[in-house]
Amino acid sequence: DAGVTQSPTHLIKTRGQQVTLRCSPKSGHDTVSWYQQALGQGPQFIFQYYEEEERQRGNFPDRFSGHQFPNYSSELNVNALLLGDSALYLCASSLVGKGYTFGSGTRLTVV
Amino acid sequence: AQTVTQSQPEMSVQEAETVTLSCTYDTSESDYYLFWYKQPPSRQMILVIRQEAYKQQNATENRFSVNFQKAAKSFSLKISDSQLGDAAMYFCAYRGISNFGNEKLTFGTGTRLTIIP
């Protein structure tokens, strides 16, 4: 049973560019959440998707957007990248009301 | 808004000994979940243990147990018989259950645990 798969594992982008990160949830899970983890910090909630809609959003600017597809996979898009967007981006999937399964993350470096 | 505080940035323990990691939180909700997650160098968050606030009994998972003090808003993790594989970052996390869909996790800043052979 595959767990949560994230791609790519590492990414280097230039300030001002746009980036798309991808997440395939654990089999049977229908909810996907995204977290940003800056170096030395705990993960911060970005947003959560359920039934292809954004259900809840954390304190992140509109430069951060997402999408969930009918097969429950999800994308996180970040526009106009800033140096401060450099972080580990974690995807977590779950069934409504159940526990999370996390992926291993995408390490984004903005130069 | 809920907050989670971990006041120990780093801890170390001798192999086979016992260590306790501290966590406090702040919330106005009466019912919620608390978690301890482990993050090894592989970066994946792994659930260690979970506690429902309405349960008075402290959760236990093999060598891992918690001391949940609801009135004090304290949630510590005890690791017994520490093993080299326990070395990782440990995060305390809170999740509310008062509203459908209110399932985001609020994390602390983490404690880096080192196991001394």
Side-chain angles (χ1 to χ4, degrees), chain A residues 35 37 56 97 100 102 104-105, chain B residues 39 43-44 100-101 103 105:
Chain A
Y35 290 80
Q37 186 178 13
Q56 194 177 15
Y100 287 103
F102 281 85
S104 296
Chain B
Q39 188 178 40
R43 309 182 317 197
Q44 184 179 16
F100 177 78
E103 298 185 357
L105 288 167

Side-chain angles (χ1 to χ4, degrees), chain B residues 23 25 32 34 51 56 58 66-76:
Chain B
C23 172
Y25 60 94
Y32 45 86
L34 294 166
Q51 174 80 44
Q56 294 186 350
N58 290 323
V66 298
N67 183 5
F68 173 49
Q69 301 290 328
K70 189 173 183 179
K73 296 180 181 175
S74 171
F75 183 60
S76 62

Side-chain angles (χ1 to χ4, degrees), chain B residues 38-117:
Chain B
K38 168 185 177 181
Q39 188 178 40
S42 67
R43 309 182 317 197
Q44 184 179 16
M45 284 284 186
I46 301 167
L47 178 63
V48 174
I49 200 165
R50 153 182 163 151
Q51 174 80 44
E52 290 89 346
Y54 65 87
K55 290 186 177 179
Q56 294 186 350
Q57 185 173 6
N58 290 323
T60 299
E61 288 287 343
N62 301 313
R63 297 183 294 107
F64 299 87
S65 62
V66 298
N67 183 5
F68 173 49
Q69 301 290 328
K70 189 173 183 179
K73 296 180 181 175
S74 171
F75 183 60
S76 62
L77 174 69
K78 185 172 81 172
I79 306 174
S80 304
D81 185 25
S82 297
Q83 300 175 0
L84 295 178
D86 295 333
M89 283 291 290
Y90 285 81
F91 290 95
C92 179
Y94 169 102
R95 194 187 95 189
I97 57 173
S98 57
N99 300 308
F100 177 78
N102 181 23
E103 298 185 357
K104 72 172 186 177
L105 288 167
T106 301
F107 287 87
T109 52
T111 297
R112 181 173 301 280
L113 178 64
T114 301
I115 310 298
I116 303 167

